[in-house]
């Protein structure tokens, strides 16, 4: 059985490894190494084999997920370098560390993929961009990466050049959604609902609306209009959002994030 190992089992690495164990525990063995031993205890309880150091993890795993902070990547790759070879597959989730930099760090020893998750991955509902542009990646490896992250949520193969746009829309996306939720909770409190109750209502509202949008074929405008009875209360609220330009504001927010992302790449 092939082993998937993860170096850095913090928030994102821990969530990804834990999710993979739940989804693919019958198909793969799993290993983990992280700096603070206490953080890996919940994963060990799920059957993840705890490795004493990054080198041992890389030696004993066919697929190695790098999930340390971007500034820690170079030191970790240096440590695992002697264990790398062309039969291993490296997957980095470090934001902003390019494929070229990763390949340079590992001196081209192993094929490499990049993955960009968003924070709902922490609760098993992530969206993952995957860069599979490394020429050293075989079709089998590409399929395997897609199958691994496909088991965790929606995953989308993208060019590395598209990663910034993905980050501006989907990586940053939870912040936009939470901001909209915050405003609606505030409205609920203003109308007399206790805060906790307003929050529960708004969370259920988003979850149900997201499911409806996901399952129906209709254009989003049709779904919106279906809620708006003639001369009713919804159209009064929607008219105000139109006047305030909510859709335009969202477009601007994503474009500004994209611009900032491009600046940061330079
Ligand atoms: N969180 C997000 O929303 C998100 C989204 C997209 C991408 N990412 C990427 O995911 C990566 C991890 O982020 P995170 O939020 O999960 O950070 P995190 O919670 O700090 O996790 C990083 C983990 O790596 C461990 N670590 C550091 N150096 C190590 C080493 N030399 N050997 C083994 N373990 C080591 C840390 O140990 P300690 O516990 O001792 O600090 C920590 O547990 C980052 O590269 C980030 O860019 C995160």
């Amino acid at each position: 059985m092939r082993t998937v190992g993860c170096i850095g089992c913090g928030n994102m690495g821990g969530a990804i490894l834990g999710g993979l164990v739940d989804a693919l525990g019958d198909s793969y063995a799993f290993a983990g190494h992280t700096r603070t031993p206490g953080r890996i205890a919940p994963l060990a309880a799920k059957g993840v084999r705890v490795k004493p150091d990054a080198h041992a993890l890389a030696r004993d795993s066919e697929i190695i997920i790098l999930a340390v902070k971007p500034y820690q990547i170079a030191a970790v790759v240096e440590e695992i370098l002697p264990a790398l070879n062309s039969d291993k597959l490296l997957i980095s989730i470090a934001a902003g560390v390019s494929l070229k930099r990763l390949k340079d760090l590992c001196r081209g020893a192993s094929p490499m993929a990049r993955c960009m998750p968003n924070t709902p991955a922490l609760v098993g509902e992530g969206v993952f961009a995957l860069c599979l542009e490394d020429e050293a990646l075989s079709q089998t490896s590409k399929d395997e990466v897609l199958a691994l992250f496909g088991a965790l949520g929606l995953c989308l193969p993208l060019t590395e050049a598209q990663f910034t746009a993905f980050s501006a829309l989907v990586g940053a996306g939870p912040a936009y959604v939470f901001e909209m939720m915050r405003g609606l909770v505030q409205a609920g409190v203003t109308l007399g609902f206790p805060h906790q109750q307003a929050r529960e209502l708004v969370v259920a509202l988003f979850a149900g609306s997201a499911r409806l949008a996901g399952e129906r074929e209709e254009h989003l405008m049709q779904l919106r209009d279906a809620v708006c009875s003639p001369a009713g209360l919804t159209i009064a609220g929607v008219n105000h959002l139109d006047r305030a330009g909510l859709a335009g504001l969202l477009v601007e927010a994503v474009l500004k994030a994209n611009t900032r992302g491009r600046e940061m790449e330079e």
Side-chain angles (χ1 to χ4, degrees), residues 8 10-12 34-36 39 67-70 72 93-95 117 119:
N11 292 318
M12 197 52 85
T34 204
R35 191 169 57 185
T36 305
R39 289 192 88 167
V68 296
K69 293 281 191 193
Q72 297 161 330
I93 66 163
T119 53

Side-chain angles (χ1 to χ4, degrees), residues 205-263:
L205 166 68
F206 271 68
S209 305
R211 186 159 171 206
L212 192 63
E215 289 185 5
R216 292 287 182 81
E217 298 274 305
E218 295 102 300
H219 192 285
L220 290 172
M221 289 295 280
Q222 283 172 287
L223 290 179
R224 188 191 87 164
D225 288 348
V227 193
C228 298
S229 313
L233 96 176
T234 310
I235 192 67
V238 165
N239 282 342
H240 182 76
L241 289 180
D242 274 357
R243 266 197 305 277
L246 179 65
L249 280 178
L250 289 170
V251 172
E252 280 301 311
V254 174
L255 294 186
K256 283 199 185 302
N258 189 55
T259 303
R260 178 68 190 130
R262 295 253 175 256
E263 280 169 12

Side-chain angles (χ1 to χ4, degrees), residues 6-16 33-40 53-54 66-73 75-77 79 92-97 115-122 166-167 171 174:
C6 181
I7 302 173
C9 302
N11 292 318
M12 197 52 85
I16 288 173
H33 166 67
T34 204
R35 191 169 57 185
T36 305
R39 289 192 88 167
I40 207 167
D53 54 58
L66 301 173
V68 296
K69 293 281 191 193
Y71 74 90
Q72 297 161 330
I73 284 281
V76 166
V77 174
E79 192 182 341
S92 165
I93 66 163
V97 184
C115 169
M116 179 56 58
N118 69 352
T119 53
L122 300 176
F166 175 87
S167 299

Side-chain angles (χ1 to χ4, degrees), residues 20-39:
L20 287 173
V21 174
D22 292 341
L24 300 172
D26 294 338
S27 311
Y28 288 91
F30 293 94
H33 166 67
T34 204
R35 191 169 57 185
T36 305
R39 289 192 88 167

